[in-house]
Amino acid sequence: MTAHDNTPLPAFQVVAALAIGTIAVLMVGVQPIVLGELVDAHQVSLEGVGIVAMAEIILLGLGVVLGDALLPVGQLRWITIAAALAAGGLDALTLRATGDGAMTAVRAAAGLAEGVLVWGTTGVIVRTANPARVGGIFFVLQTLAQALLGLVLAHAVIPRWGWQGGFAALAALALSCCLLAFAQPARLVPLAPPAVSGFRWSARTLQPLAVAFLQLATLGAFWAYLEPLGKAAGFDGRGAQTLIAAVLATQVVAGSVATLAVRRLPVVPTLVACSLALAGVTATVHQLPAGHTRDFALACLLFGFVWLFMLPFHIGLAFRADPSGRLAGLVPAAQLLGSAFGPLMASFIVEGDNASAVPLLSAGFALAAAVLALLGRAPRATAPAGALP
């Protein structure tokens, strides 16, 4: 069950672990819906809602890091149950929170519990025979589940029960992880220690995490301001929201393609090509004059395709630097922290409703990721059969 153990995990255990991780990140996908309802209900201010959203995402990433550093994989089932109870309880506690400070504290704590759940899922993924492919499946499941929950919340739950119904639904889903914990592996064998695997922190081992961080900063910055950018290009509100839905559908297709291609394409050239494509898309959007809605839509669809297509390759890049799988377990943390960092940096260059400079910032992040991926290119380390694309 380690990265060096050829004994495969039963499929039902992997599926249960992926379901737990998918539930853990549902809030990230439906934040615009439920947090928007909080603003409308005057539970948080418009100025504070961004802080609430960012705090949860950052703590989610830190939860993965702390889980890797502090928690024993030999107690995976009970840790999962404890984290699920904490996440569900904090979702319920959100119903009692009022004001920017209280809401930020509760959602940050929820993010930490959700991060522990993602840590457990990642631990299972890196111990499968094909971690990059399983990771690709995980990313597709996330997108599908977030889109489905968003539809249910927007059209069934919130119209009837308001924002409280949204968090009650999230609490119920989090608590369902307690049952799923009995289907996932009860425990995982520890990965090879550094003395055996030869792992040590260095520029080479940090490089895969930095590439993932910068590429997700690229995505996060542009995605956070896609609606105002779309309106500036000539879309009305409904048109911009329809475009966002189309991009999400494109992501599902891209993730499905990636799960098939991740073992056939070289890791570094693929990630460099993806970074250059993102830089090209965002630079094109920046220079598009108003009224070119078709060109804007095509650019966004390509952006969405590259987004989910490249994510499994982050796991492959991590395995190149560390075949033990320890580094790959931190990839979700780097992705989450990058997705929070991008919008944070973008917020400093937005002037009122004018977000025209954001695509250039995204292009800069993408080019930096491409350069870093090329500079860090090295001969592939020896890895277990089937672990690398």
Side-chain angles (χ1 to χ4, degrees):
M1 292 172 64
T2 70
H4 298 281
D5 190 346
N6 292 324
T7 303
L9 289 169
F12 77 91
Q13 292 186 346
V14 176
V15 170
L18 296 183
I20 290 170
T22 297
I23 291 171
V25 296
L26 282 175
M27 180 59 180
V28 176
V30 300
Q31 271 186 343
I33 297 173
V34 293
L35 295 185
E37 291 295 319
L38 288 178
V39 173
D40 292 343
H42 305 293
Q43 297 295 118
V44 295
S45 68
L46 184 60
E47 296 79 9
V49 71
I51 298 173
V52 174
M54 202 174 314
E56 183 162 359
I57 294 174
I58 290 174
L59 267 293
L60 210 163
L62 290 178
V64 179
V65 174
L66 293 175
D68 179 75
L70 302 176
L71 298 178
V73 293
Q75 300 294 325
L76 179 61
R77 174 173 295 165
W78 301 113
I79 291 172
T80 297
I81 291 172
L85 289 172
L90 287 161
D91 286 335
L93 187 59
T94 304
L95 303 178
R96 309 286 297 178
T98 302
D100 294 352
M103 195 66 70
T104 298
V106 172
R107 295 317 305 168
L112 191 63
E114 292 158 358
V116 172
L117 293 175
V118 173
W119 161 79
T121 297
T122 305
V124 173
I125 290 174
V126 301
R127 289 165 172 83
T128 60
N130 300 300
R133 178 173 292 179
V134 176
I137 295 171
F138 180 40
F139 296 130
V140 173
L141 288 176
Q142 289 178 33
T143 305
L144 285 171
Q146 290 169 354
L148 178 60
L149 180 61
L151 287 172
V152 172
L153 291 181
H155 296 284
V157 175
I158 290 177
R160 183 171 182 179
W161 292 289
W163 66 268
Q164 296 93 336
F167 283 104
L170 287 167
L173 287 166
L175 292 175
S176 71
C177 292
C178 294
L179 297 177
L180 289 168
F182 289 94
Q184 73 167 5
R187 62 186 61 82
L188 296 173
V189 177
L191 297 171
V196 174
S197 67
F199 175 81
R200 63 183 180 86
W201 288 110
S202 64
R204 182 173 180 273
T205 51
L206 284 172
Q207 179 252 0
L209 300 181
V211 170
F213 178 89
L214 287 171
Q215 288 190 324
L216 267 293
T218 301
L219 301 171
F222 187 78
W223 185 249
Y225 291 93
L226 182 60
E227 187 165 347
L229 288 169
K231 290 179 179 178
F235 287 95
D236 59 17
R238 177 171 295 182
Q241 292 171 2
T242 301
L243 177 59
I244 290 172
V247 172
L248 289 172
T250 304
Q251 288 178 356
V252 174
V253 175
S256 302
V257 172
T259 61
L260 300 176
V262 72
R263 287 176 54 81
R264 295 175 173 83
L265 297 178
V267 175
V268 174
T270 299
L271 287 175
V272 171
C274 288
S275 283
L276 294 178
L278 291 173
V281 166
T282 50
T284 298
V285 168
H286 174 73
Q287 59 83 37
L288 276 180
H292 285 61
T293 53
R294 185 186 66 179
D295 293 339
F296 182 89
L298 290 174
C300 290
L301 291 175
L302 178 58
F303 175 88
F305 186 91
V306 174
W307 181 338
L308 226 68
F309 180 82
M310 73 183 183
L311 296 187
F313 290 89
H314 291 159
I315 297 175
L317 188 65
F319 268 104
R320 286 174 63 92
D322 170 36
S324 76
R326 188 174 305 275
L327 195 63
L330 295 175
V331 165
Q335 292 172 335
L336 288 162
L337 293 173
S339 67
F341 180 77
L344 174 63
M345 292 297 101
S347 69
F348 294 129
I349 61 173
V350 172
E351 299 178 358
D353 295 329
N354 183 7
S356 61
V358 171
L360 282 184
L361 176 67
S362 285
F365 283 140
L367 291 174
V371 170
L372 188 60
L374 286 172
L375 289 177
R377 188 169 187 175
R380 184 166 65 183
T382 302
L388 289 172

